[in-house]
Every structure is written in C-alpha cells, then in structure tokens.
Amino acid sequence: MARTLAMILAGGAGTRLFPLTQTRTKPAVPFAGGLRLVDLVLNNFVNSDLLKIYLLTQFKSQSLNIHLRQAWYLSGLTGNFIDAIPAQMRMGKRWYEGTADAIYQNIRLIEQHDPDNVCIFGSDHIYKMDVRQMVRYHEKSGAALTVCATRVPIEEAHRFGVIEVNENFRMTGFEEKPTHPKPLPGNPTMALVSMGNYVFDAKVLYKSLYADAENKLSNHDFGHDIIPKLYKDKQVQVYDFTQNKIQGETNTHYWRDVGTLYSFWEAHMDLLECEPQFELNNEKWPLRSYHPPVPSARILADEKGNHSTILNSLISSGCKIVGSRVERSVLGFNVHLGAGSRLQECVILGRAHIGAGSYLNRVITDKGVSIAPGTEIGVNPEQDKARGLTVTEEGLTVIAKGMRVGFE
C-alpha cells in the first residue's frame, strides 16, 4: 500500500446542485449536518491507511480549501500528505478539459512519487469503501486498470458508464452515458455501472494519458475516451462493490450519486431511517470532519411551556430549538428555530434563523438563511418562485445562501 498514490478529482462545478453550488464547488457542499461531500472519499482513504493523497481543485475552491486546512492537515514528517492542488495550467493556458486531462496536467506530481498503483477517485458520492480491498484485487489480477462497479436500476443507468463483463469480471464492453443502457444478463431491471473509481497500473496510466493528450478529437475523459480504448487492448478488471467489507458493519454497499438536488435530499432522508442503509455511527470506521467551536444543541420549551418535538431527525451542535416540531429533518450547525415553528422533511445546511410560527415542508436551505416569523415555504410553489426561490420538478424548494425570506 505504500506504493499507492491517490488522486481525487475535487473540482466539479456541480451545476445541477445550484444554488447550493452558487458560491462553492460541489465537493464542499455540506452533508449530514456535520460533513462535507469531500469528507466521504477522504475518510475512505484515511480509514484504509492510504495516506498519500492529492486533491485536484478548480471551480470556486476557496470554501473547500478552508475546510481541508481545518479538517485534513497531515504532517509531512511521515511522508504522508493530503494536499489540495489548484488548476495551474501546467500544459498551457487552459482549464481542465475532462477528468483525464485533469490527471494529465498533474502527471509530474505522480511521476515524482514513482508509485506502482494510482487510485483515481471522484469526490461527490455517498458511500463507504475499504480501498485496500480494491487495490489488492487489482494487484492479484495483474490488470492494467480496475474499475469499481455497482448495480443501479436500468432507468437510472443512462447517467453512468455502463459495463459488460465476462464470468471472470473482465470488462468486455463499456459505454459512457448510453441512451439505451444494456441490462445485466438475466436481470432486465438492473445495469452494472462504473462508480468513477479507478486503480491504474502507473505505467499504463502514463502511456494512456500521453496518447490521449495528443488526440485532438478526444474529450480527454476517462469514461468517454480512456476506458473504451483500454479494455480492447489491455486487461481491464471490474471490482464488484458488493464484495467490499467495512469493519463493524453488515450493510456496507450503499452508494448514491448526489448529482441533483432531489438525489441530495433523498440521501439525507435515507439517513433518517430506523436502520439506515448508510450508518454514521461506527467507531471502527469514523467519519472525520471539521467541528466548529460551538456548544451542544439545546432543545427547549417556549415561554408558554410548549415542548419541542423531535422525530427521526439529525440535530447538529450549536442548534437552538424552542417549542418547535422537527420531523424527518437534518439540521446543520447553528440552526435556530423560533417558538411554534415546524419543519417536515427539510435539510438545513447551517447558520439559519427560522422565525416563530414558520412552516417548512421539503425545503433545503443553504447557510446564512433568515426566514421571517409566520412564513410558509414548500406549501405554495408559485409563491415560492415569486420569492426568488428554486422549486424542483419533484416539489422541493431550495433557498440560496444568505437569503432573507418573508421580510416583505
């Protein structure tokens, strides 16, 4: 494992998560009250004792850089590191033109370490994975490339790279975001798709990237260009995510792409089940992040003696809930609820002031939001749109960072 280097792609603009990505890159979006999306992949590597990590950043990276400095600083004395690398235009005056180009523009960083294996992972999925098990599978198979894969419903497969394999899980077909995805043999309702997590033999990676960079017709993307060519000429293995085991857990195969506002909201609702598919509490697989210096949450009765009611919810530190009802909701740091306010299936990212008597239904709020007393949101979509709020096709209402709502 000491001969393995990690390159994490953390520069995504996340346009489908707008307005949550209005001021930050997608990996910096808060999740589950006290985490950021990037924390999931970093915890996977750190808990796997793989501690030579570069994060490649690009769009609106300041919030991400601050978080990495606060939560993920490693001393260089041991040779381990977690370093954020901004887009530096090393290969010319251009931004990254695709996932493969992002790695190509930083290929000198890889060559300096002379690794045997290079892990290339995304940073915006919700899952747990012992990366060592995938690296061992890759080395044992002798593959040029190993792609991590999971199964998704066939109607969702068009959003991913769809994989075909033989009986030994060697890749025999690959199509990036196909219009008509091929289902699993014998199961027309499911497809095998790439999770965007790769382990490359370093020499194969160098050769593939240099050849791709010279191809003027390439999209310079792993899914569109590198993998479709490589599996035809080299041994490309597929690592079955369902074979990965997490110490201290039995249900470890949850994986969700939170590329849209609705999937982001759904992932939070998944956390609130009595037996959640994604477990936040596992002492053998801690989920590290930055915890601000705020006091414990306070759940209080109001001045009239009306008690607060909390049902199936996550409440973060610094919250103050006064005579309110919170049902199936996630509250980040420093959320204050006034007397008589009600939240139902909401995700409050943090630092929000929700006035007395307000009612929020299926609402996502970014940080720094203030809501006037007696305001209803998520009840009348046309009224929400008139206030400048984002309303999705699925009926979610999203409030951008720093907005003041209902103070007309």
Side-chain angles (χ1 to χ4, degrees), residues 236-273:
V236 175
Q237 288 296 130
V238 176
Y239 177 70
D240 186 353
F241 179 56
T242 64
Q243 301 303 306
N244 199 264
K245 307 298 182 186
I246 300 296
Q247 189 176 10
E249 298 186 27
T250 55
N251 182 16
T252 60
H253 307 134
Y254 179 90
W255 181 80
R256 184 179 284 276
D257 175 17
V258 287
T260 66
L261 290 167
Y262 187 68
S263 62
F264 179 77
W265 174 84
E266 276 190 315
H268 280 90
M269 296 302 106
D270 289 344
L271 300 174
L272 305 178
E273 302 296 335

Side-chain angles (χ1 to χ4, degrees), residues 6-65:
M7 305 290 284
I8 296 177
L9 300 168
T15 53
R16 292 183 298 164
L17 278 182
F18 190 88
L20 303 182
T21 51
Q22 186 173 30
T23 61
R24 61 170 77 87
T25 185
K26 183 179 176 182
V29 172
F31 178 74
L35 302 170
R36 306 268 185 150
L37 291 179
V38 72
D39 291 330
L40 279 304
V41 67
L42 286 175
N43 277 297
N44 286 336
F45 275 92
V46 170
N47 287 332
S48 301
D49 292 326
L50 294 170
L51 299 172
K52 293 180 173 63
I53 304 170
Y54 286 118
L55 286 100
L56 307 186
T57 66
Q58 183 163 247
F59 299 107
K60 302 176 185 177
S61 61
Q62 183 61 16
S63 177
L64 178 61
N65 290 336

Side-chain angles (χ1 to χ4, degrees), residues 335-349:
V335 176
H336 293 182
L337 303 184
S341 56
R342 294 179 295 149
L343 271 61
Q344 186 166 343
E345 295 191 332
C346 293
V347 179
I348 313 298
L349 297 191

Side-chain angles (χ1 to χ4, degrees), residues 116-180:
D116 293 334
N117 308 307
V118 181
C119 297
I120 301 173
F121 278 48
S123 59
D124 48 15
H125 298 133
I126 310 302
Y127 69 109
K128 294 180 185 179
M129 179 179 176
D130 186 339
V131 185
R132 289 169 297 191
Q133 296 172 31
M134 181 176 174
V135 173
R136 292 187 187 113
Y137 174 87
H138 168 79
E139 291 184 331
K140 185 177 181 180
S141 70
L145 163 66
T146 298
V147 179
C148 192
T150 190
R151 295 158 180 80
V152 302
I154 192 69
E155 61 269 17
E156 299 178 14
H158 67 278
R159 297 164 45 205
F160 307 102
V162 177
I163 299 170
E164 296 176 81
V165 295
N166 64 16
E167 64 277 5
N168 297 316
F169 262 70
R170 179 167 178 168
M171 185 180 291
T172 59
F174 184 90
E175 189 175 3
E176 180 72 2
K177 298 180 180 179
T179 304
H180 302 289

Side-chain angles (χ1 to χ4, degrees), residues 324-343:
S324 302
R325 182 181 177 89
V326 181
E327 184 174 353
R328 286 184 55 77
S329 296
V330 178
L331 277 58
F333 299 115
N334 292 324
V335 176
H336 293 182
L337 303 184
S341 56
R342 294 179 295 149
L343 271 61

Side-chain angles (χ1 to χ4, degrees), residues 216-235:
K216 303 301 182 183
L217 300 178
S218 175
N219 296 297
H220 308 299
D221 183 82
F222 283 109
H224 280 104
D225 307 285
I226 301 293
I227 296 175
K229 292 180 181 178
L230 197 59
Y231 85 83
K232 297 175 182 177
D233 301 324
K234 301 282 187 180
Q235 180 184 348

